[in-house]
Amino acid sequence: MIAQLTGTVLSAGATECVLDVGGVGYLVNITPTTAAALRPGEVTTLHTSLVVREDSMTLFGFSEPGEREAFVLSQIASGVGPKLAMAIVSVLTPAELRRAVQTEDVRRLTTVPGIGTKGAQKIIIELRDKVVALGLDEPGEPTAQPATGTGELWRLQVSDGLQSLGWSARDAEKACDNVAPLVAEEPSIPIGKLLRAALNSLARR
């Protein structure tokens, strides 16, 4: 298993990056929080989880060990695969996931696309005894990477990121409209921060 990678960031988008480690470029799926900390050309360390399938090997990377722990832990619950686990970690911080499970907050869990009431209840039952230490040492906000490009490129990045996490194109466009004032106010707003704001706007519906 590849548990950690340290290398130079070749490219970074809202949901994936390419990390050059010893001349080998690793494509890594990332969360908005992780994306906010990456800057092309800089050396970084990602805590990773390798998911192996019959026809693929996919790397998921996180800026903090707690995020990786939440990603791996989420998949213990029945019906939660890597894609849904990635959506959970993108919408909820490790501490928020722990609190939602411990307080049986079904409504909070169902803000994650792909999780309905029954799914949330199942996650609560199956993870209740396993989330005790999750997110207890959560760090502050990471150094942000500015959104790339000009004009409406940010909208494409945010929309693609949301759709890859399970939201519909319609919901993604509505979320982009919700955060457009943030771009107008701060044109260089980090793409990770923008995607996080879009996620929060959908969670409040």
Side-chain angles (χ1 to χ4, degrees), residues 4-20:
Q4 180 176 297
L5 290 173
T6 297
T8 302
V9 180
L10 296 182
S11 64
T15 58
E16 65 181 27
C17 71
V18 176
L19 199 65
D20 182 345

Side-chain angles (χ1 to χ4, degrees), residues 160-174:
D160 285 350
L162 291 172
Q163 290 180 65
S164 73
L165 293 172
W167 271 279
S168 67
R170 187 174 183 178
D171 283 340
E173 284 305 307
K174 184 174 182 180

